[in-house]
Each structure stands twice: as structure tokens, then as C-alpha cells.
Coordinates of all heavy atoms in Angstrom, one line a residue:
M1 N -17.1 -8.7 7.8 CA -15.9 -9.3 7.4 C -14.7 -8.4 7.7 O -13.6 -8.9 8.1 CB -16.0 -9.6 5.9 CG -14.9 -10.6 5.5 SD -15.2 -11.3 3.9 CE -14.2 -10.3 2.9
P2 N -14.8 -7.1 7.4 CA -13.6 -6.2 7.7 C -13.2 -6.2 9.2 O -12.1 -5.8 9.5 CB -14.1 -4.8 7.3 CG -15.2 -5.1 6.3 CD -15.9 -6.3 6.8
K3 N -14.1 -6.6 10.1 CA -13.7 -6.6 11.5 C -12.6 -7.6 11.8 O -12.0 -7.5 12.8 CB -14.9 -6.8 12.3 CG -15.9 -5.6 12.2 CD -17.0 -5.8 13.2 CE -18.1 -4.7 13.0 NZ -17.7 -3.4 13.3
F4 N -12.4 -8.6 10.9 CA -11.4 -9.6 11.1 C -10.0 -9.0 10.8 O -9.0 -9.5 11.3 CB -11.6 -10.8 10.3 CG -12.7 -11.7 10.8 CD1 -14.0 -11.6 10.1 CD2 -12.6 -12.5 11.9 CE1 -15.0 -12.4 10.6 CE2 -13.6 -13.3 12.3 CZ -14.8 -13.2 11.7
G5 N -9.9 -7.9 10.0 CA -8.7 -7.4 9.7 C -8.1 -8.0 8.5 O -8.2 -9.3 8.3
S6 N -7.4 -7.3 7.6 CA -6.9 -7.8 6.4 C -5.8 -8.9 6.6 O -5.7 -9.8 5.9 CB -6.3 -6.7 5.5 OG -5.3 -6.0 6.1
K7 N -5.0 -8.7 7.6 CA -3.9 -9.7 7.9 C -4.5 -11.0 8.2 O -4.0 -12.1 7.7 CB -3.1 -9.2 9.0 CG -1.8 -10.0 9.3 CD -1.0 -9.4 10.3 CE 0.3 -10.3 10.6 NZ 1.1 -9.7 11.7
N8 N -5.6 -11.1 9.0 CA -6.2 -12.3 9.3 C -6.9 -13.0 8.1 O -6.8 -14.2 7.9 CB -7.3 -12.1 10.4 CG -6.6 -11.7 11.7 OD1 -5.5 -12.1 12.0 ND2 -7.3 -10.9 12.5
L9 N -7.5 -12.1 7.3 CA -8.2 -12.7 6.1 C -7.2 -13.2 5.1 O -7.4 -14.2 4.5 CB -9.1 -11.6 5.5 CG -10.3 -11.2 6.3 CD1 -10.9 -9.9 5.7 CD2 -11.3 -12.3 6.4
E10 N -6.1 -12.5 5.0 CA -5.0 -12.9 4.0 C -4.4 -14.3 4.4 O -4.0 -15.1 3.6 CB -3.9 -11.9 3.9 CG -4.4 -10.6 3.2 CD -4.7 -10.8 1.7 OE1 -4.1 -11.7 1.1 OE2 -5.5 -10.1 1.2
T11 N -4.5 -14.6 5.7 CA -4.0 -15.8 6.2 C -4.7 -17.0 5.7 O -4.2 -18.1 5.6 CB -4.0 -15.8 7.8 OG1 -3.3 -14.7 8.3 CG2 -3.4 -17.1 8.4
L12 N -6.0 -16.8 5.3 CA -6.8 -17.8 4.7 C -6.4 -18.2 3.3 O -6.9 -19.2 2.8 CB -8.3 -17.4 4.8 CG -8.9 -17.3 6.2 CD1 -10.3 -16.7 6.1 CD2 -9.0 -18.6 6.8
R13 N -5.7 -17.4 2.7 CA -5.3 -17.6 1.3 C -4.6 -19.0 1.1 O -4.9 -19.7 0.2 CB -4.5 -16.5 0.7 CG -5.3 -15.2 0.5 CD -4.5 -14.2 -0.1 NE -4.3 -14.6 -1.5 CZ -3.6 -13.9 -2.4 NH1 -3.1 -12.7 -2.1 NH2 -3.5 -14.3 -3.6
Q14 N -3.6 -19.2 1.9 CA -2.8 -20.4 1.8 C -3.7 -21.7 1.8 O -3.6 -22.5 0.9 CB -1.7 -20.5 2.8 CG -0.8 -21.7 2.7 CD -1.2 -22.8 3.6 OE1 -1.7 -22.6 4.7 NE2 -1.1 -24.1 3.2
P15 N -4.5 -21.9 2.9 CA -5.3 -23.1 2.9 C -6.4 -23.1 1.8 O -6.7 -24.2 1.2 CB -6.0 -23.1 4.3 CG -5.8 -21.7 4.8 CD -4.6 -21.1 4.1
L16 N -6.9 -22.0 1.3 CA -7.8 -21.9 0.2 C -7.2 -22.4 -1.1 O -7.8 -23.1 -1.8 CB -8.4 -20.5 0.1 CG -9.6 -20.2 1.0 CD1 -9.9 -18.7 0.9 CD2 -10.8 -21.0 0.6
E17 N -6.0 -21.9 -1.3 CA -5.3 -22.3 -2.6 C -4.7 -23.7 -2.6 O -4.8 -24.4 -3.5 CB -4.2 -21.3 -2.8 CG -4.7 -19.9 -3.2 CD -3.6 -18.9 -3.3 OE1 -2.4 -19.2 -3.0 OE2 -3.9 -17.7 -3.7
D18 N -4.2 -24.1 -1.4 CA -3.5 -25.4 -1.3 C -4.4 -26.5 -0.9 O -4.0 -27.7 -1.0 CB -2.3 -25.3 -0.4 CG -1.3 -24.2 -0.9 OD1 -1.3 -23.8 -2.1 OD2 -0.5 -23.8 0.0
K19 N -5.5 -26.2 -0.3 CA -6.5 -27.1 0.3 C -5.8 -28.0 1.4 O -6.3 -29.0 1.7 CB -7.0 -28.0 -0.8 CG -7.8 -27.2 -1.9 CD -8.5 -28.1 -2.8 CE -9.2 -27.4 -4.0 NZ -9.6 -26.1 -3.8
V20 N -4.8 -27.4 2.0 CA -4.2 -28.0 3.2 C -3.8 -26.8 4.1 O -3.5 -25.7 3.6 CB -3.0 -28.9 3.0 CG1 -3.5 -30.2 2.2 CG2 -1.9 -28.2 2.2
V21 N -3.7 -27.1 5.4 CA -3.2 -26.1 6.3 C -2.0 -26.7 7.1 O -2.1 -27.8 7.5 CB -4.3 -25.5 7.2 CG1 -4.9 -26.6 8.2 CG2 -3.8 -24.3 8.1
T22 N -1.0 -26.0 7.1 CA 0.2 -26.5 7.8 C 0.4 -25.7 9.1 O 0.5 -24.4 9.0 CB 1.4 -26.4 6.9 OG1 1.2 -27.1 5.7 CG2 2.7 -26.9 7.5
I23 N 0.5 -26.4 10.2 CA 0.8 -25.8 11.5 C 2.2 -26.1 11.9 O 2.6 -27.2 11.9 CB -0.2 -26.4 12.5 CG1 -1.6 -26.3 12.1 CG2 0.0 -25.6 13.9 CD1 -2.2 -24.9 11.9
S24 N 2.9 -25.0 12.2 CA 4.3 -25.2 12.6 C 4.5 -24.8 14.0 O 4.2 -23.7 14.5 CB 5.2 -24.3 11.7 OG 6.5 -24.4 12.1
R25 N 5.0 -25.8 14.8 CA 5.3 -25.6 16.2 C 6.7 -26.1 16.5 O 7.3 -26.8 15.7 CB 4.2 -26.3 17.1 CG 2.8 -25.8 17.0 CD 2.7 -24.4 17.6 NE 1.4 -23.9 17.6 CZ 0.9 -23.1 16.7 NH1 1.6 -22.7 15.7 NH2 -0.4 -22.7 16.8
A26 N 7.1 -25.9 17.7 CA 8.5 -26.3 18.1 C 8.6 -27.8 18.0 O 9.7 -28.4 17.6 CB 8.8 -25.9 19.5
A27 N 7.5 -28.5 18.3 CA 7.5 -30.0 18.2 C 7.5 -30.5 16.8 O 7.8 -31.7 16.6 CB 6.3 -30.6 19.0
G28 N 7.2 -29.7 15.8 CA 7.3 -30.2 14.4 C 6.2 -29.5 13.6 O 5.6 -28.5 13.9
L29 N 6.1 -30.1 12.4 CA 5.2 -29.5 11.4 C 4.0 -30.5 11.1 O 4.3 -31.7 10.9 CB 6.0 -29.4 10.1 CG 5.7 -28.3 9.1 CD1 5.9 -26.9 9.7 CD2 6.6 -28.4 7.9
L30 N 2.8 -30.0 11.2 CA 1.7 -30.9 10.9 C 0.8 -30.3 9.8 O 0.6 -29.1 9.7 CB 0.8 -31.0 12.2 CG 1.4 -31.7 13.4 CD1 0.5 -31.6 14.6 CD2 1.6 -33.2 13.1
T31 N 0.4 -31.2 8.9 CA -0.5 -30.7 7.8 C -1.8 -31.4 7.9 O -1.9 -32.6 8.1 CB 0.2 -31.1 6.4 OG1 1.5 -30.4 6.4 CG2 -0.6 -30.6 5.3
F32 N -2.9 -30.6 7.8 CA -4.2 -31.1 7.9 C -5.0 -30.7 6.6 O -4.7 -29.7 5.9 CB -5.0 -30.4 9.0 CG -4.4 -30.7 10.4 CD1 -3.5 -29.8 10.9 CD2 -4.7 -31.9 11.0 CE1 -2.9 -30.1 12.2 CE2 -4.1 -32.1 12.3 CZ -3.2 -31.2 12.8
P33 N -6.0 -31.5 6.2 CA -6.8 -31.2 5.0 C -7.6 -29.9 5.3 O -8.1 -29.7 6.4 CB -7.7 -32.4 4.8 CG -7.7 -33.1 6.1 CD -6.4 -32.8 6.8
A34 N -7.7 -29.1 4.3 CA -8.5 -27.8 4.5 C -9.2 -27.5 3.2 O -9.1 -26.4 2.7 CB -7.6 -26.7 5.0
N35 N -10.0 -28.5 2.7 CA -10.7 -28.3 1.4 C -12.1 -27.7 1.8 O -13.0 -28.4 2.1 CB -10.8 -29.6 0.7 CG -11.3 -29.4 -0.7 OD1 -11.6 -28.2 -1.1 ND2 -11.5 -30.4 -1.5
F36 N -12.2 -26.4 1.7 CA -13.4 -25.7 2.1 C -13.7 -24.6 1.2 O -12.9 -24.1 0.4 CB -13.4 -25.3 3.6 CG -12.3 -24.2 3.8 CD1 -12.7 -22.8 3.8 CD2 -11.0 -24.5 4.0 CE1 -11.7 -21.9 4.0 CE2 -10.0 -23.6 4.2 CZ -10.4 -22.2 4.2
M37 N -15.0 -24.1 1.3 CA -15.4 -23.0 0.5 C -15.6 -21.8 1.5 O -16.3 -22.0 2.5 CB -16.7 -23.2 -0.3 CG -17.2 -22.0 -1.0 SD -18.8 -22.3 -1.8 CE -18.4 -23.5 -3.0
F38 N -15.0 -20.7 1.3 CA -15.1 -19.6 2.1 C -16.1 -18.6 1.5 O -15.9 -18.1 0.4 CB -13.8 -18.9 2.3 CG -13.8 -17.7 3.2 CD1 -13.9 -17.8 4.6 CD2 -13.7 -16.4 2.7 CE1 -13.9 -16.7 5.4 CE2 -13.8 -15.3 3.5 CZ -13.9 -15.5 4.9
V39 N -17.2 -18.4 2.2 CA -18.3 -17.5 1.8 C -18.4 -16.4 2.8 O -18.6 -16.7 4.0 CB -19.6 -18.2 1.6 CG1 -20.7 -17.3 1.1 CG2 -19.4 -19.4 0.6
A40 N -18.4 -15.2 2.4 CA -18.5 -14.1 3.3 C -19.2 -12.9 2.7 O -19.3 -12.8 1.4 CB -17.1 -13.6 3.8
A41 N -19.6 -12.0 3.5 CA -20.3 -10.8 3.0 C -19.9 -9.7 3.9 O -19.5 -9.9 5.0 CB -21.8 -11.0 3.0
M42 N -20.1 -8.5 3.4 CA -19.8 -7.3 4.2 C -20.8 -6.2 3.7 O -21.2 -6.2 2.6 CB -18.4 -6.8 4.1 CG -18.0 -6.4 2.7 SD -16.3 -5.8 2.6 CE -16.4 -4.2 3.2
N43 N -21.1 -5.3 4.7 CA -21.8 -4.1 4.3 C -20.9 -3.2 3.5 O -19.7 -3.2 3.7 CB -22.3 -3.4 5.6 CG -23.5 -4.2 6.2 OD1 -24.3 -4.8 5.5 ND2 -23.5 -4.2 7.5
P44 N -21.5 -2.3 2.7 CA -20.7 -1.3 2.0 C -20.1 -0.3 2.9 O -19.1 0.4 2.5 CB -21.7 -0.7 1.0 CG -23.0 -0.9 1.7 CD -22.9 -2.2 2.4
C45 N -20.6 -0.2 4.2 CA -20.0 0.8 5.1 C -20.5 0.3 6.5 O -21.3 -0.6 6.6 CB -20.6 2.2 4.9 SG -22.4 2.3 5.1
P46 N -20.0 0.9 7.6 CA -20.4 0.4 8.9 C -21.9 0.4 9.2 O -22.4 -0.4 9.9 CB -19.6 1.3 9.9 CG -18.4 1.7 9.1 CD -18.9 1.8 7.6
C47 N -22.6 1.5 8.7 CA -24.0 1.6 8.9 C -24.8 0.7 7.9 O -26.0 0.5 8.2 CB -24.5 3.0 9.0 SG -24.7 3.8 7.4
G48 N -24.2 0.4 6.8 CA -24.9 -0.5 5.8 C -25.7 0.2 4.8 O -26.3 -0.4 3.9
Y49 N -25.7 1.6 4.8 CA -26.5 2.3 3.8 C -25.8 3.1 2.8 O -26.4 3.8 2.0 CB -27.5 3.3 4.6 CG -28.5 2.5 5.3 CD1 -28.4 2.3 6.7 CD2 -29.6 1.9 4.7 CE1 -29.4 1.6 7.4 CE2 -30.6 1.2 5.4 CZ -30.5 1.1 6.8 OH -31.4 0.4 7.4
F50 N -24.5 2.9 2.7 CA -23.7 3.6 1.6 C -24.2 3.1 0.3 O -24.2 1.9 0.0 CB -22.2 3.4 1.8 CG -21.4 4.1 0.8 CD1 -21.2 5.4 0.9 CD2 -20.8 3.4 -0.3 CE1 -20.4 6.1 0.0 CE2 -20.1 4.1 -1.2 CZ -19.8 5.5 -1.1
G51 N -24.6 4.1 -0.6 CA -25.1 3.7 -1.9 C -26.6 3.4 -2.0 O -27.2 3.2 -3.0
D52 N -27.2 3.4 -0.8 CA -28.7 3.1 -0.8 C -29.4 4.4 -1.1 O -29.1 5.5 -0.6 CB -29.1 2.7 0.6 CG -30.5 2.1 0.7 OD1 -31.4 2.8 0.3 OD2 -30.6 1.0 1.2
D53 N -30.4 4.3 -2.0 CA -31.1 5.5 -2.4 C -32.3 5.8 -1.5 O -33.0 6.8 -1.7 CB -31.5 5.5 -3.9 CG -32.3 4.2 -4.2 OD1 -32.5 3.4 -3.3 OD2 -32.7 4.1 -5.4
R54 N -32.6 4.9 -0.5 CA -33.7 5.2 0.3 C -33.3 5.8 1.7 O -34.1 6.4 2.4 CB -34.5 3.9 0.6 CG -35.2 3.3 -0.7 CD -35.6 1.9 -0.5 NE -34.4 1.1 -0.4 CZ -34.3 -0.1 0.0 NH1 -35.4 -0.8 0.3 NH2 -33.2 -0.8 0.0
K55 N -32.1 5.5 2.1 CA -31.6 6.0 3.4 C -30.2 6.4 3.3 O -29.4 5.8 2.6 CB -31.7 4.9 4.4 CG -31.5 5.4 5.8 CD -31.9 4.3 6.9 CE -31.6 4.9 8.3 NZ -32.0 3.9 9.3
E56 N -29.9 7.5 3.9 CA -28.5 8.1 3.7 C -27.5 7.5 4.7 O -27.9 7.2 5.9 CB -28.6 9.6 4.0 CG -27.3 10.4 3.7 CD -27.5 11.9 3.8 OE1 -28.6 12.3 3.8 OE2 -26.5 12.6 3.8
C57 N -26.4 7.3 4.2 CA -25.3 6.7 5.0 C -24.9 7.8 6.0 O -24.8 8.9 5.7 CB -24.1 6.4 4.1 SG -22.6 5.8 5.0
T58 N -24.6 7.3 7.3 CA -24.3 8.2 8.3 C -22.7 8.4 8.4 O -22.3 9.2 9.3 CB -24.8 7.8 9.7 OG1 -24.3 6.4 9.9 CG2 -26.3 7.7 9.6
W59 N -22.0 7.7 7.6 CA -20.5 7.8 7.7 C -20.0 8.7 6.5 O -20.6 8.7 5.4 CB -19.9 6.4 7.6 CG -20.2 5.6 8.8 CD1 -21.5 5.0 9.1 CD2 -19.4 5.3 9.8 NE1 -21.4 4.4 10.2 CE2 -20.1 4.5 10.8 CE3 -18.1 5.5 10.1 CZ2 -19.6 4.0 11.9 CZ3 -17.5 5.1 11.3 CH2 -18.3 4.3 12.2
G60 N -18.9 9.3 6.7 CA -18.3 10.2 5.7 C -17.6 9.3 4.7 O -17.3 8.1 4.9
L61 N -17.4 9.9 3.5 CA -16.8 9.1 2.4 C -15.4 8.6 2.8 O -15.0 7.4 2.5 CB -16.6 10.0 1.2 CG -16.0 9.3 -0.1 CD1 -16.9 8.1 -0.5 CD2 -15.9 10.3 -1.2
G62 N -14.6 9.4 3.5 CA -13.3 8.9 4.0 C -13.4 7.7 4.9 O -12.6 6.8 4.7
M63 N -14.3 7.7 5.8 CA -14.5 6.5 6.7 C -15.0 5.3 5.9 O -14.5 4.2 6.2 CB -15.5 6.8 7.8 CG -14.9 7.8 8.8 SD -13.5 7.2 9.7 CE -14.2 5.9 10.6
V64 N -15.8 5.5 4.9 CA -16.3 4.4 4.1 C -15.2 3.8 3.3 O -15.0 2.6 3.2 CB -17.5 4.9 3.1 CG1 -17.8 3.8 2.1 CG2 -18.7 5.3 3.9
Q65 N -14.3 4.7 2.7 CA -13.2 4.2 1.9 C -12.2 3.4 2.8 O -11.6 2.4 2.5 CB -12.5 5.3 1.2 CG -13.3 5.9 0.1 CD -12.7 7.1 -0.5 OE1 -12.0 7.9 0.1 NE2 -13.0 7.4 -1.8
R66 N -12.0 3.9 4.0 CA -11.1 3.2 5.0 C -11.7 1.9 5.4 O -11.0 0.9 5.4 CB -11.0 4.1 6.2 CG -9.9 3.7 7.1 CD -9.5 4.7 8.2 NE -9.1 4.0 9.4 CZ -9.4 4.4 10.6 NH1 -10.1 5.5 10.8 NH2 -9.0 3.7 11.6
Y67 N -13.0 1.8 5.6 CA -13.7 0.6 5.9 C -13.5 -0.4 4.8 O -13.2 -1.6 5.0 CB -15.2 0.9 6.2 CG -16.1 -0.3 6.4 CD1 -16.1 -0.9 7.7 CD2 -16.9 -0.8 5.4 CE1 -17.0 -2.0 7.9 CE2 -17.7 -1.9 5.6 CZ -17.8 -2.5 6.9 OH -18.6 -3.5 7.1
Q68 N -13.8 0.0 3.6 CA -13.8 -0.9 2.4 C -12.3 -1.3 2.1 O -12.1 -2.4 1.6 CB -14.4 -0.2 1.2 CG -15.9 -0.1 1.3 CD -16.6 0.6 0.1 OE1 -15.9 1.0 -0.8 NE2 -17.9 0.6 0.1
G69 N -11.4 -0.4 2.5 CA -10.0 -0.7 2.2 C -9.4 -1.8 3.1 O -8.3 -2.2 2.9
R70 N -10.2 -2.2 4.1 CA -9.6 -3.2 5.0 C -9.5 -4.6 4.4 O -8.8 -5.4 4.9 CB -10.6 -3.4 6.2 CG -10.5 -2.2 7.2 CD -11.3 -2.4 8.3 NE -11.3 -1.3 9.3 CZ -12.0 -1.2 10.4 NH1 -13.0 -2.1 10.6 NH2 -11.9 -0.2 11.2
I71 N -10.2 -4.8 3.3 CA -10.1 -6.1 2.5 C -9.5 -5.7 1.1 O -9.7 -4.6 0.6 CB -11.4 -6.9 2.5 CG1 -12.4 -6.1 1.7 CG2 -11.9 -7.2 3.8 CD1 -13.6 -7.0 1.3
S72 N -8.9 -6.7 0.5 CA -8.4 -6.5 -0.8 C -9.5 -6.6 -1.8 O -10.6 -6.8 -1.5 CB -7.2 -7.5 -1.1 OG -7.7 -8.8 -0.9
G73 N -9.2 -6.5 -3.1 CA -10.1 -6.5 -4.1 C -10.9 -7.8 -4.3 O -10.8 -8.6 -3.4
P74 N -11.6 -7.9 -5.4 CA -12.3 -9.1 -5.7 C -11.5 -10.4 -5.6 O -10.3 -10.4 -5.8 CB -12.8 -9.0 -7.1 CG -12.8 -7.5 -7.4 CD -11.6 -7.0 -6.5
C75 N -12.1 -11.5 -5.2 CA -11.4 -12.7 -4.9 C -11.1 -13.5 -6.1 O -10.8 -14.7 -6.0 CB -12.1 -13.5 -3.9 SG -12.3 -12.7 -2.3
A76 N -11.3 -13.0 -7.3 CA -11.1 -13.7 -8.6 C -9.7 -14.3 -8.7 O -9.5 -15.4 -9.2 CB -11.4 -12.8 -9.8
R77 N -8.7 -13.6 -8.0 CA -7.4 -14.2 -8.1 C -7.2 -15.4 -7.3 O -6.2 -16.1 -7.4 CB -6.4 -13.1 -7.6 CG -6.6 -12.7 -6.2 CD -5.7 -11.6 -5.8 NE -6.1 -11.1 -4.5 CZ -5.3 -10.3 -3.8 NH1 -4.2 -10.0 -4.2 NH2 -5.7 -10.0 -2.6
W78 N -8.2 -15.7 -6.4 CA -8.1 -16.9 -5.6 C -8.6 -18.2 -6.4 O -8.4 -19.3 -6.0 CB -9.0 -16.8 -4.4 CG -8.4 -15.8 -3.4 CD1 -7.3 -15.0 -3.6 CD2 -8.9 -15.6 -2.1 NE1 -7.1 -14.3 -2.4 CE2 -8.0 -14.6 -1.5 CE3 -9.9 -16.1 -1.3 CZ2 -8.2 -14.2 -0.2 CZ3 -10.1 -15.7 0.0 CH2 -9.2 -14.7 0.5
T79 N -9.2 -18.0 -7.6 CA -9.7 -19.1 -8.3 C -8.7 -19.8 -9.1 O -7.6 -19.3 -9.3 CB -10.9 -18.7 -9.2 OG1 -10.4 -17.7 -10.1 CG2 -12.0 -18.1 -8.4
Ligands
ZN1 ZN1 -23.0 4.0 6.0

């Protein structure tokens, strides 16, 4: 999920909250239904082992924090 980038993911907020998506072009404004459930998952780090007690993460803490920082906090505010 972080590979999409926070700006792209934040773009999904409007259709998720409003259940419509509005496309604006020079020819005019079009609104389409967008009632959907967005389900996504992400690894805790790029290698997937951060926090795992069986295998050590190969990424440094700074890189893990940067990776996790690409998305905002829990999506509870979207409900
Ligand atoms: Zn890792």
C-alpha cells in the first residue's frame, strides 16, 4: 500500500466519504457513483519482518519509520 504514495491514497478519501466521485474536465463536471469498500494491507516494513520474533528485519529503524510514515494513521476517521 505505501508504494501508491500518500497523495494518491488521500485522493480516495473523497469518494469513500461521499460515495460519489466527481471528474472535472474542460468539457464539464461528471459525477459517478462510488459506493465501495476499500480494503488494503501493508507489511510493517519493506522486508515484512519488522516486529517478528522469528526473523530479524533487514531494514533500519529510520527506514521502517519512513516506510510506515507514507500512510496516515488509522482509518477510523473515515467512518
Ligand atoms: Zn523489515
Side-chain angles (χ1 to χ4, degrees):
M1 198 166 101
K3 294 190 187 289
F4 287 103
S6 60
K7 188 175 178 183
N8 293 328
L9 293 170
E10 291 292 331
T11 304
L12 292 172
R13 290 186 68 178
Q14 180 268 323
L16 277 168
E17 290 175 354
D18 301 342
K19 301 188 185 332
V20 293
V21 63
T22 302
I23 308 292
S24 177
R25 294 290 184 263
L29 211 65
L30 294 171
T31 299
F32 298 96
N35 190 359
F36 63 98
M37 178 186 291
F38 180 75
V39 179
M42 64 181 279
N43 286 326
C45 65
C47 78
Y49 290 104
F50 183 75
D52 192 308
D53 54 359
R54 293 167 293 169
K55 188 168 179 175
E56 190 172 342
C57 174
T58 58
W59 292 74
L61 182 59
M63 288 298 291
V64 171
Q65 288 173 334
R66 191 167 148 219
Y67 174 82
Q68 292 180 355
R70 288 183 179 172
I71 64 164
S72 56
C75 298
R77 63 185 170 165
W78 289 7
T79 57

